[in-house]
Amino acid sequence: MNAQIGRTSAIQIGARSLLAFALEPKAPLAEWLATLDEWLSRSPSFFAAKPVILQMGGLDIPLKEYRDLLGQLARRHIRVMAVENTHRLLVGPHLPPVVSGGRVVSPDKLLDEPAPAAQTPAAQTPAATAPAAPAPELAAPLPPQTLYHEGNLRSGQQIVHLEGDVVVVGRVASGAEIVAGGSIHVYGALQGRAFAGVAGGGEARIFCREARAELLCVGEAFVTAEDMDSKFEGLPIEASVEGGRVKIRVLN
Amino acid sequence: MGNVIVVTSGKGGVGKTTSTAAIGAALAETGKRVCVVDFDVGLRNLDLVLGAERRVVYDFINVAQGDAKLNQALIRDKRVETLYLLAASQTRDKDALTDEGVERVIGELKASFDWVVCDSPAGIERGALLAMRFADTAVVVCNPEVSSVRDSDRIIGLLDSRTRRAEGGSRIDKHLLLTRFDPNRSARGEMLSVADVLEILSIPLVGIIPESEEILRASNIGAPITMNAGASLAAKAYKEAARRLAGEPVPLAMPSEKKPFFSRLFGRRAA
């Protein structure tokens, strides 16, 4: 009997943008750990089960000390899920993966309640910028929020809003950029770059009154100005994703 | 290993981007693999001059920070197939570039291109210093006027002190590219003469680009002058400059003034 040749099923690879705490260890490490301990003594399980990233830019240590540091953190129930700005020698299969391009946000975005100002002598350490009170659990996903921008977005300006839609009442110039977790609405000419749906889900769309975009990206599909059909140039359009590709249609 | 050229000037508006595009295109037209790199993060223009602004997906910052591979960010020119562009980011600033990131990207470019031509931002701050840092050769773009010459002098000082080569005890090759030159105005004393500029800057002259209307037209069309108006005097001057940079001995003719008939008649009286 012949072997049956089955259809290979595709693996769905998604992408997520999440918030994580960023800790920045400073030399001398013993002193930094002591400060951390002092702070943890007030909120012992603050980092337990929370995503933590190490920001290694200010630290140049050999591999052995790095492993020790990870061990020390693990003993304090801090699990390092990734590192930023690390030396290339501190990368390996049994070490946390390297990430880059992280955006700085206020730590209270990770919490339910607003963080009170830190008033410890250790105010210099990044950990101290987190609240001193015992921390609540990670916030449940917030309902989508819309960000409104009145006026033109000029070349070089950028709006990043991962929590929902972005509405621009004005023009988005060449060289300007909008990154939205949800959809993007531009009531004017879109001449710059628009990234919609970066928070996942294929529902996001881009709407604009006048299509002259340099790049349209919806979810994981994108199209550059060059690859866009010129018949859409200057028209009001909607861009969505269909079959893994950006689909543009004229709104009339 | 490729040769890294930085096109720099200190002063803005003297023609760095135009010259980068023209020299890059001229070198590529000889069949060499060339990558032009825009270091003007936040005020990028090289993509416009090369007509590639509608094709930029990833940029220099993405590659330097490891978010994209070099191959993903390189844009191949449609007219000259050995010419590539690495665009700058418009939404970031110069602080997004680190020494290590730039060194790694330049190293990768050197490994796969014959020429890496870096378009420096104006000024003497971080962006300009990073653009020159890993260069082997510098093209100092200068207009025949005093402010440009003084700024060029300042840049030459930095090229001799703040580049990797200078710090290692060796020297960076420096060449002067005199742009927007008008022989008639120079003869009337309204512009510095070639000799004046050379006397002050005392680095070898690699080319004299005549003031030309064709250049603005080419930039607006999105084509380097050597492609758009290949037969023009400016394009010829750029092509010859590129050959000199490549080490070919090309004699440099001083542009002579073309006196109109009346000025020949009344020239003596005017003087």
Side-chain angles (χ1 to χ4, degrees):
Chain A
M1 192 176 153
N2 288 340
Q4 198 173 351
I5 299 170
R7 200 163 54 90
T8 50
S9 56
I11 292 178
Q12 295 294 320
I13 300 178
R16 299 288 182 275
S17 173
L18 313 157
L19 294 174
F21 284 107
L23 278 180
E24 189 171 5
K26 292 242 165 68
L29 276 177
E31 214 169 277
W32 182 79
L33 284 168
T35 316
L36 181 65
D37 282 339
E38 188 190 320
W39 187 81
L40 281 174
S41 66
R42 287 189 300 273
S43 15
S45 59
F46 182 83
F47 289 111
K50 296 217 173 67
V52 172
I53 283 174
L54 280 192
Q55 156 61 38
M56 296 288 286
L59 201 60
D60 190 9
I61 48 171
L63 183 61
K64 192 187 164 297
E65 267 184 55
Y66 179 54
R67 283 188 195 280
D68 285 349
L69 171 65
L70 292 175
Q72 291 281 356
L73 291 173
R75 246 165 275 149
R76 289 164 175 83
H77 307 289
I78 298 175
R79 286 191 296 175
V80 177
M81 65 178 243
V83 288
E84 252 185 333
N85 285 344
T86 192
H87 193 276
R88 62 176 182 277
L89 294 178
L90 303 185
V91 176
H94 302 296
L95 294 167
V98 180
V99 290
S100 64
R103 208 165 45 87
V104 178
V105 295
S106 158
D108 45 310
K109 286 218 171 206
L110 280 161
L111 305 164
D112 279 334
E113 56 193 45
Q119 51 332 42
T120 58
Q124 296 303 312
T125 67
T129 58
E137 282 305 301
L138 269 179
L142 292 166
Q145 300 164 353
T146 303
L147 186 141
Y148 294 91
H149 179 85
E150 300 281 346
N152 297 338
L153 200 62
R154 296 194 180 272
S155 185
Q157 292 183 329
Q158 189 186 34
I159 293 178
V160 179
H161 179 67
L162 304 179
E163 295 79 14
D165 294 0
V166 174
V167 177
V168 176
V169 188
R171 185 175 70 99
V172 178
S174 162
E177 200 169 277
I178 303 174
V179 181
S183 296
I184 295 173
H185 310 253
V186 179
Y187 294 95
L190 172 54
Q191 297 167 312
R193 290 149 63 105
F195 299 80
V198 297
E203 296 294 294
R205 295 176 206 183
I206 299 169
F207 300 91
C208 68
R209 280 257 292 268
E210 198 180 318
R212 301 187 189 281
E214 291 167 331
L215 185 124
L216 295 174
C217 177
V218 184
E220 285 144 50
F222 71 85
V223 59
T224 61
E226 169 124 322
D227 298 326
M228 273 175 232
D229 196 329
S230 59
K231 72 181 181 201
F232 299 118
E233 183 103 9
L235 297 177
I237 59 141
E238 173 207 66
S240 55
V241 70
E242 197 175 286
R245 299 171 69 97
V246 175
K247 189 190 166 218
I248 300 176
R249 85 182 168 92
V250 178
L251 297 173
N252 259 332
Chain B
M1 282 295 257
N3 194 313
V4 182
I5 301 178
V6 58
V7 179
T8 184
S9 70
K11 194 175 182 311
V14 295
K16 286 181 296 297
T17 303
T18 306
S19 298
T20 304
I23 288 172
L27 286 167
E29 278 165 351
T30 65
K32 297 288 183 191
R33 280 173 59 80
V34 179
C35 182
V36 289
V37 184
D38 196 345
F39 268 81
D40 207 346
V41 179
L43 288 171
R44 76 174 190 211
N45 277 324
L46 191 54
D47 55 325
L48 287 171
V49 175
L50 283 167
E53 74 280 7
R54 294 162 68 86
R55 301 168 63 199
V56 179
V57 180
Y58 294 109
D59 56 49
F60 192 4
I61 304 279
N62 296 138
V63 182
Q65 295 188 338
D67 299 332
K69 293 205 177 72
L70 182 58
N71 279 341
Q72 293 176 296
L74 287 174
I75 302 169
R76 186 184 203 162
D77 191 86
K78 291 185 161 177
R79 299 151 294 203
V80 182
E81 61 176 18
T82 52
L83 179 63
Y84 290 77
L85 164 72
L86 183 56
S89 169
Q90 182 76 349
T91 50
R92 308 292 291 270
D93 60 35
K94 271 94 180 162
D95 295 334
L97 285 177
T98 60
D99 273 30
E100 297 74 29
V102 173
E103 185 174 16
R104 184 175 56 75
V105 178
I106 295 285
E108 282 183 45
L109 287 169
K110 274 176 89 163
S112 56
F113 288 94
D114 299 311
W115 295 96
V116 180
V117 188
C118 306
D119 183 21
S120 170
I124 52 170
E125 287 79 31
R126 183 171 170 75
L129 292 176
L130 270 176
M132 67 171 70
R133 182 134 189 85
F134 304 102
D136 306 306
T137 305
V139 171
V140 179
V141 181
C142 184
N143 289 169
E145 48 124 350
V146 282
S147 58
S148 177
V149 172
R150 188 165 69 183
D151 290 0
S152 295
D153 202 37
R154 177 89 169 93
I155 277 289
I156 292 168
L158 293 174
L159 287 167
D160 284 337
S161 59
R162 303 288 289 273
T163 53
R164 189 50 78 78
R165 277 207 174 194
E167 286 173 5
S170 67
R171 282 241 156 160
I172 182 166
D173 293 328
K174 298 176 294 290
H175 302 273
L176 177 66
L177 185 69
L178 199 58
T179 53
R180 307 195 70 166
F181 188 74
D182 184 334
N184 294 321
R185 297 189 68 188
S186 174
R188 289 199 297 268
E190 295 169 14
M191 270 185 178
L192 296 177
S193 69
V194 177
D196 292 337
V197 179
L198 282 176
E199 192 187 322
I200 299 167
L201 297 181
S202 56
I203 57 171
L205 188 62
V206 76
I208 301 170
I209 313 298
E211 173 84 53
S212 162
E213 288 176 4
E214 298 284 348
I215 289 184
L216 183 62
R217 195 173 306 145
S219 295
N220 284 335
I221 286 174
I225 178 83
T226 53
M227 292 181 194
N228 188 52
S232 65
L233 284 176
K236 280 185 182 157
Y238 272 121
K239 286 179 185 172
E240 287 184 5
R243 283 165 61 197
R244 288 185 199 103
L245 281 172
E248 209 178 307
V250 182
L252 205 161
M254 291 289 158
S256 58
E257 55 180 309
K258 287 181 225 119
K259 278 192 177 176
F261 180 69
F262 276 106
S263 77
R264 256 184 280 152
L265 263 186
F266 300 112
R268 198 177 289 265
R269 198 182 296 171

